[in-house]
Amino acid sequence: MRPPSRRPIVPSFEVSGIVERVGAGVTDMKRGELVYGLLNFWRDGAAAELVAARAADLAPKPRSLDHVHAAAVPLSGLTAWQALFDHAGVAAGDRVLIHGAAGGVGTFAVQFAHTRGAHVIGTASKRNVAFLEELGADEVVDYSSARFGDRLRRVDAVIDTVGGDTLDRSWGVLRPGGVLVTIAGDAPEAIAAKYGVRGVSMLVQPDRAQLVEIAGLIDAGRVRPVVDAVFPLPRAREAFERGLLGHTRGKLVLQVVPPSDAVGRSS
Ligand SMILES: NC(=O)c1ccc[n+]([C@@H]2O[C@H](COP(=O)([O-])OP(=O)(O)OC[C@H]3O[C@@H](n4cnc5c(N)ncnc54)[C@H](OP(=O)(O)O)[C@@H]3O)[C@@H](O)[C@H]2O)c1
């Protein structure tokens, strides 16, 4: 389900910053706390000096990260986590194919699956092959020179962040009983049934407990956010236009408060 269309909107849904004020009845969060989180899609977004968020959608930010890097985590980190573990049920030893492995969601999915003990296969262009191996991918298929369907068979799970033709060609690489989770298209039941697999099309949900778990992995040095570029808020348009090109490595971050003043406030 998509958020309702309305104007004007404040874009962006993930945030890292300092709590300025808490609403009535909030007992588990206080002014001055450093938090990060994924905002509810039905509310105004995070590309702003002040953000109104539900307390339940925020968690203590990873202690080892500054706000710029913490702000790169919630949306993509939660999406990767929910796709892999809530929907696909990926476990140690599973062979997992991650499409768009070098992107915002993909870079987290590769690292989470690797830390869980899965065999990780990613798709990306040639320039990202060594980068993904360093992040924890066991195999990388360069989509510009090879068709993954010619090289792969009997995969336990596919996590698709690309959609289109990539999604359409993914059903055939799964083992019977395998699962395809897409965040970039539909997974019709009839097609899944034809291949004898399960198909899921998902929309990420805010989840404090999962953010706490992800922060733990980051602070333990087992997972890291990948920040491709940082844009000051007045250059937000440039950031969104760059994102639309579809070749971001990791995340683009809007910085609301200049670095010299960035102890608190939002990124
Ligand atoms: N449903 C949900 O809950 C949810 C949540 C988050 C995001 N999304 C959506 O999911 C999609 C992915 O989000 P994102 O933030 O991860 O995207 P992104 O960061 O913009 O993805 C860019 C990456 O995609 C790779 N890529 C492009 N074409 C590819 C191909 N044919 N095969 C493999 N990799 C390819 C690029 O690698 P190269 O540079 O190597 O080509 C680049 O690293 C977007 O459409 C986004 O709106 C949905």
Side-chain angles (χ1 to χ4, degrees):
M1 195 169 20
R2 288 186 181 283
S5 174
R6 63 192 168 87
R7 300 280 191 282
I9 60 157
V10 181
S12 292
F13 294 104
E14 50 197 334
V15 65
S16 177
I18 185 166
V19 176
E20 289 276 348
R21 206 190 306 164
V22 294
V26 176
T27 54
D28 53 359
M29 197 151 284
K30 54 183 186 306
R31 183 181 155 84
E33 240 180 279
L34 303 181
V35 293
Y36 79 145
L38 173 63
L39 305 177
N40 183 289
F41 293 126
W42 272 254
R43 302 176 64 129
D44 276 337
E49 288 81 0
L50 289 167
V51 175
R54 295 191 304 205
D57 297 342
L58 301 173
K61 92 171 177 54
R63 285 187 306 276
S64 56
L65 297 181
D66 59 22
H67 284 301
V68 162
H69 288 82
V73 178
L75 174 68
S76 302
L78 286 173
T79 304
W81 189 275
Q82 290 167 18
L84 285 166
F85 306 130
D86 294 351
H87 297 290
V90 165
D94 285 353
R95 279 162 44 83
V96 185
L97 171 61
I98 298 166
H99 290 309
V105 177
T107 47
F108 282 105
V110 166
Q111 295 179 85
F112 291 155
H114 174 69
T115 56
R116 200 49 81 95
H119 179 90
V120 180
I121 309 158
T123 59
S125 65
K126 189 171 181 199
R127 77 179 181 104
N128 282 316
V129 172
F131 161 71
L132 287 170
E133 286 169 350
E134 182 264 324
L135 272 192
D138 297 286
E139 299 175 49
V140 182
V141 180
D142 166 11
Y143 67 79
S144 60
S145 66
R147 286 171 71 85
F148 62 86
D150 295 339
R151 299 224 336 227
L152 301 172
R153 281 287 173 273
R154 301 191 68 79
V155 165
D156 295 292
V158 174
I159 307 297
D160 167 52
T161 76
V162 174
D165 173 57
T166 299
L167 166 57
D168 294 343
R169 290 189 286 115
S170 291
W171 299 101
V173 306
L174 285 163
R175 66 163 171 80
V179 55
L180 181 153
V181 178
T182 181
I183 61 165
D186 295 324
E189 244 174 68
I191 297 183
K194 185 175 128 196
Y195 285 91
V197 300
R198 196 158 59 81
V200 180
S201 171
M202 64 158 271
L203 179 65
V204 63
Q205 302 298 324
D207 191 308
R208 177 189 285 179
Q210 290 177 351
L211 285 176
V212 168
E213 245 180 297
I214 292 168
L217 285 173
I218 290 171
D219 286 338
R222 302 183 68 196
V223 168
R224 66 177 171 94
V226 175
V227 173
D228 190 328
V230 181
F231 294 82
L233 188 59
R235 286 174 53 205
R237 182 190 180 100
E238 216 180 300
F240 286 108
E241 285 172 349
R242 166 106 170 251
L244 287 174
L245 298 177
H247 294 288
T248 305
R249 179 186 276 180
K251 299 285 291 186
L252 303 173
V253 177
L254 296 181
Q255 187 163 45
V256 174
V257 176
S260 58
D261 194 19
V263 178
R265 307 305 284 252
S266 61
S267 284

